[in-house]
Amino acid sequence: MDEIAEILERELEDAVQVKNKDSLHRYVVLLAKNIVQKSAYDQNMTEFRGDIRILAETMKRGFETIDKRFEAIDKRFEDMYAYMNKRFDAVDKRFEDIYKYMDKRFEDMNKRFTMMFTFMNIGFSILIIITIIFKFLQ
């Protein structure tokens, strides 16, 4: 740093008219202190890039973890969906069985009522015929 300060001070002294050498010296020292050396800059940039790389890897691992959790949640929802479909299918089958049973019961009852009305009609017809024959014979 001191070498840079001396070079800058000599160059400025040669380039411009200096009224106060102490002021020029303070200016050059301040300027030299604030100049970053290339090696220090390269080292800082290397460290910075390393930190960014570590941060990117950490973020990548975090995203992979989140993806795995979402996949697990998706699987749970798919399993739950399959289970609910299975339950609804079972309920549908049960209603179909009840419907078939009730349909059979109504058909059986319909047959009984049809037979009952047929026998009643035959019975009333026989009664009417017997009544007519008795009336006619009298």
Side-chain angles (χ1 to χ4, degrees):
M1 272 308 187
D2 292 335
E3 293 171 0
I4 293 173
E6 289 175 18
I7 293 170
L8 283 174
E9 191 172 347
R10 260 186 279 127
E11 290 298 319
L12 279 173
E13 224 176 295
D14 291 342
V16 293
Q17 183 181 12
V18 178
K19 294 180 185 176
N20 186 347
K21 274 208 172 252
D22 290 334
S23 178
L24 177 65
H25 181 72
R26 284 191 303 270
Y27 169 75
V28 169
V29 169
L30 280 172
L31 184 64
K33 283 183 181 177
N34 290 322
I35 291 177
V36 178
Q37 290 182 358
K38 182 169 177 23
S39 61
Y41 173 77
D42 288 341
Q43 181 183 1
N44 285 342
M45 286 305 290
T46 304
E47 290 174 6
F48 186 64
R49 286 186 185 125
D51 291 343
I52 289 175
R53 188 175 301 114
I54 290 170
L55 181 62
E57 289 174 11
T58 304
M59 287 176 63
K60 183 179 177 183
R61 275 189 247 121
F63 286 134
E64 288 172 354
T65 303
I66 289 171
D67 287 343
K68 287 178 185 175
R69 288 182 68 193
F70 277 128
E71 288 172 4
I73 290 170
D74 285 346
K75 176 141 177 41
R76 266 189 26 215
F77 277 118
E78 288 171 2
D79 292 345
M80 188 169 57
Y81 178 74
Y83 174 75
M84 293 301 288
N85 277 342
K86 186 177 175 183
R87 291 285 308 256
F88 281 124
D89 290 342
V91 169
D92 285 347
K93 178 155 178 20
R94 196 165 151 210
F95 277 120
E96 287 174 5
D97 292 344
I98 290 171
Y99 175 75
K100 288 177 185 175
Y101 174 75
M102 293 302 289
D103 195 34
K104 184 178 177 189
R105 290 274 314 247
F106 281 120
E107 286 177 11
D108 290 345
M109 287 177 63
N110 191 21
K111 285 180 185 176
R112 286 183 192 158
F113 281 120
T114 303
M115 280 180 41
M116 185 178 74
F117 284 124
T118 304
F119 286 130
M120 284 176 60
N121 284 336
I122 292 172
F124 281 124
S125 297
I126 291 174
L127 271 174
I128 291 173
I129 291 174
I130 291 175
T131 307
I132 290 174
I133 291 177
F134 278 127
K135 286 281 185 181
F136 184 67
L137 289 177
Q138 282 183 348

